Amino acid sequence: MEGEGISKANEQKPKFKSICVFCGSRAGQKASFTDAALELGKQLVEGKIDLVYGGGSVGLMGLISRTVFNGGRHVLGVIPKALLSHEISGETIGEVKIVADMHQRKSEMSKHADAFIALPGGYGTMEELLEIIAWAQLGIHDKPVGLLNVDGYYNSLLTLFDKGVEEGFIEGSARNIVVIADTAGELLRKMEEYAPVHDKVAPKQSWEVNQLLESNQSGDTPTA
């Protein structure tokens, strides 16, 4: 009986402790975009998953961060100092970590997240999404990367990915790095089932060794 209780507890344990969400500092033109941000926030709360995001309190960033924070989950916002006046309006939400630049922002968000999801957004959101996909292809991480394709917002980008495969610039297996769904619930379920199948450019261990060497050379203390 006692063993069965432990087994059930393990089954109910969420796969992801925290998810990094890339999304716009604007709300977009369609109500479906704001609805998707709110629904994803609710799904994270229900799944007992914490949020890591870009630190803004406006647009879709503000909507999802408030939803998760008001639902009792931890929210970590990572924002470059230069963007404080542009992306934060009024009170900050949850814990805010101010960093030097965009490179450090992405590094910190990645470090604190078990998976990634992109909602609709502009150049910044797309750049974050593409870099985290590239990191997966290179072997820097093996975390799930989800794309919430609200009302077909990312259809053209996905067509471009397919074109890259067709023209020989993207490996067919690497096309499957991105997990795609139209709704938050479906996306989270697919991400929980995700297993990498693509060939990595270099093993994860080699990237970790290089990062450790760079940290020691610069005098920084490496973090776990």
Side-chain angles (χ1 to χ4, degrees):
M1 295 293 291
E2 184 178 347
E4 292 179 4
I6 295 173
S7 177
K8 289 180 180 179
N10 289 336
E11 289 176 1
Q12 295 172 355
K13 185 178 179 181
K15 181 174 182 178
F16 308 123
K17 292 182 179 179
S18 62
I19 291 179
C20 175
V21 175
F22 305 129
C23 57
S25 58
R26 299 182 181 186
Q29 301 286 0
K30 295 181 179 179
S32 57
F33 299 150
T34 58
D35 291 344
L38 292 171
E39 179 59 26
L40 178 57
K42 292 175 183 176
Q43 290 283 337
L44 295 181
V45 171
E46 291 176 6
K48 297 180 173 57
I49 301 170
D50 296 332
L51 171 69
V52 180
Y53 82 116
S57 62
V58 294
L60 298 187
M61 285 199 287
L63 288 173
I64 190 169
S65 58
R66 286 189 192 92
T67 301
V68 175
F69 183 75
N70 291 339
R73 303 307 306 172
H74 184 261
V75 173
L76 172 63
V78 184
I79 186 167
K81 186 176 182 180
L83 292 181
L84 284 173
S85 61
H86 296 277
E87 294 188 355
I88 292 184
S89 174
E91 295 184 1
T92 57
I93 302 166
E95 178 186 355
V96 176
K97 184 167 187 175
I98 300 172
V99 295
D101 53 38
M102 296 295 284
H103 298 292
Q104 189 178 2
R105 182 193 218 180
K106 287 177 286 189
S107 177
E108 284 295 319
M109 289 194 293
S110 176
K111 183 170 68 175
H112 292 284
D114 300 319
F116 308 90
I117 291 176
L119 281 164
Y123 288 141
T125 300
M126 295 180 194
E127 186 271 340
E128 289 167 332
L129 170 65
L130 289 171
E131 182 157 358
I132 215 67
I133 293 171
W135 287 6
Q137 182 184 29
L138 291 170
I140 295 174
H141 75 81
D142 55 6
K143 302 172 183 179
V145 180
L147 188 63
L148 192 51
N149 192 25
V150 183
D151 275 353
Y153 180 77
Y154 283 111
N155 282 353
S156 296
L157 181 62
L158 296 172
T159 299
L160 180 60
F161 291 170
D162 291 334
K163 185 66 173 177
V165 174
E166 179 185 337
E167 299 292 352
F169 290 103
I170 300 174
E171 290 288 341
S173 61
R175 177 63 176 80
N176 297 318
I177 290 173
V178 187
V179 180
I180 308 158
D182 299 331
T183 65
E186 181 187 4
L187 183 61
L188 288 170
R189 285 191 295 273
K190 285 185 174 182
M191 290 172 66
E192 288 177 352
E193 298 168 357
Y194 171 81
V197 296
H198 61 281
D199 295 326
K200 301 174 181 66
V201 174
K204 184 178 179 182
Q205 291 81 358
S206 65
W207 293 104
E208 292 172 344
V209 169
N210 289 337
Q211 290 170 355
L212 180 61
L213 289 174
E214 289 176 5
S215 297
N216 290 339
Q217 288 169 0
S218 64
D220 296 335
T221 302
T223 56

